[in-house]
Amino acid sequence: MSTSLSYREKTLYASLAAEILVYGPYFFLHQQNSVNKVAGMIVSIIVLQMILQLLIAAFTRNHVTDERDRLIELRGYRAGYLAIASLMVIGLGMLWFHATIGNHRLDNRMMGLHFLSVFFGMLIIADITKTATQILAYRKAL
Amino acid sequence: MPAIRNQIRELRAQREITQQELADQVGVTRQTVIAIEQDKYSPSLETAFKVAIVLGVPLEQCFQYDPQGKR
């Protein structure tokens, strides 16, 4: 029995590919992150997502989404929320640790950029978790 | 055994309706019809009624509830 991908599933694969393509090099190749790079990443992901979604819409005949799609979407958002909430707790714990026990100074510019990078990373991990959970739900039939 | 089982595949075969045709008439994706037929997804009451109407049978002939089944 054939279980070809639905329109919604194709868009999820495209989202995941765009996220890995754009965010991967940012975190693994650049050691010095900056506000401009973060802004660049956000613009890149939006443009890439738009191009991919337009291509999928153009080459897919059936654009129907139904109750199962909405249920899977909610599951993805729940997983994404759990991921970001957990990472926030860990991040705040580490911040507290460095501020009280460690000897890091939290008032310099580099530290600000470091936090920007860390929180941006948390958002990306949560977003990838959301998309991956949705893909997994589709592959398991729910 | 799942809590909610169905006879959609058999009823569909008797009426020579494809999964895509059923999906189009009910207003869901073909993947959802596949998931329902495989007992991996229990549809909403509204979708269940629509499936029964399209197949021309009462709801209970299309879907059965087993209280001992796995939810």
Side-chain angles (χ1 to χ4, degrees):
Chain A
M1 187 190 314
S2 166
T3 54
S4 58
L5 303 179
S6 67
Y7 171 66
R8 185 83 187 99
E9 216 175 335
K10 286 177 192 168
T11 62
L12 285 172
Y13 277 108
S15 292
L16 190 64
E19 284 163 2
I20 291 168
L21 206 70
V22 173
Y23 297 139
Y26 174 77
F27 282 103
F28 292 107
L29 300 179
H30 299 290
Q31 295 303 313
Q32 292 294 313
N33 297 323
S34 69
V35 177
N36 287 343
K37 280 181 186 168
V38 170
M41 290 297 108
I42 292 168
V43 171
S44 304
I45 197 88
I46 291 170
V47 171
L48 193 59
Q49 291 261 30
M50 279 172 65
I51 293 168
L52 289 171
Q53 303 301 335
L54 281 172
L55 283 172
I56 290 167
F59 290 103
T60 307
R61 278 181 301 159
N62 202 340
H63 292 191
V64 173
T65 54
D66 58 23
E67 59 185 39
R68 185 168 149 267
D69 292 313
R70 285 187 288 278
L71 188 64
I72 288 173
E73 191 177 7
L74 288 175
R75 281 191 178 193
Y77 275 104
R78 186 175 63 180
Y81 170 77
L82 284 173
I84 200 159
S86 309
L87 289 167
M88 278 289 180
V89 169
I90 294 167
L92 290 172
M94 286 173 75
L95 183 63
W96 173 81
F97 179 80
H98 284 302
T100 54
I101 297 160
N103 56 0
H104 291 269
R105 290 187 61 200
L106 299 176
D107 54 353
N108 64 36
R109 186 174 169 274
M110 282 312 291
M111 192 57 86
L113 284 176
H114 177 68
F115 282 125
L116 176 79
S117 195
V118 167
F119 285 114
F120 187 56
M122 288 177 180
L123 275 176
I124 290 165
I125 291 169
D127 205 33
I128 290 174
T129 303
K130 181 200 79 180
T131 311
T133 303
Q134 290 175 342
I135 288 172
L136 210 64
Y138 275 111
R139 288 296 89 200
K140 284 169 62 186
L142 185 65
Chain B
M1 289 288 264
I4 295 176
R5 284 174 288 136
N6 67 81
Q7 261 66 52
I8 295 175
R9 188 174 297 172
E10 294 78 8
L11 292 166
R12 197 170 50 74
Q14 286 167 14
R15 286 152 184 77
E16 295 181 342
I17 299 173
T18 65
Q19 289 172 333
Q20 187 63 63
E21 286 166 349
L22 178 63
D24 290 343
Q25 290 185 61
V26 173
V28 296
T29 61
R30 190 173 71 88
Q31 287 75 14
T32 296
V33 171
I34 293 168
I36 296 170
E37 284 187 356
Q38 292 176 347
D39 292 326
K40 288 182 175 172
Y41 173 64
S42 297
S44 67
L45 202 53
E46 187 182 352
T47 301
F49 270 111
K50 282 182 184 173
V51 169
I53 289 168
V54 170
L55 293 172
V57 293
L59 186 67
E60 59 271 26
Q61 194 180 329
C62 208
F63 294 92
Q64 294 83 42
Y65 176 64
D66 177 8
Q68 312 300 322
K70 200 175 78 178
R71 304 191 97 192

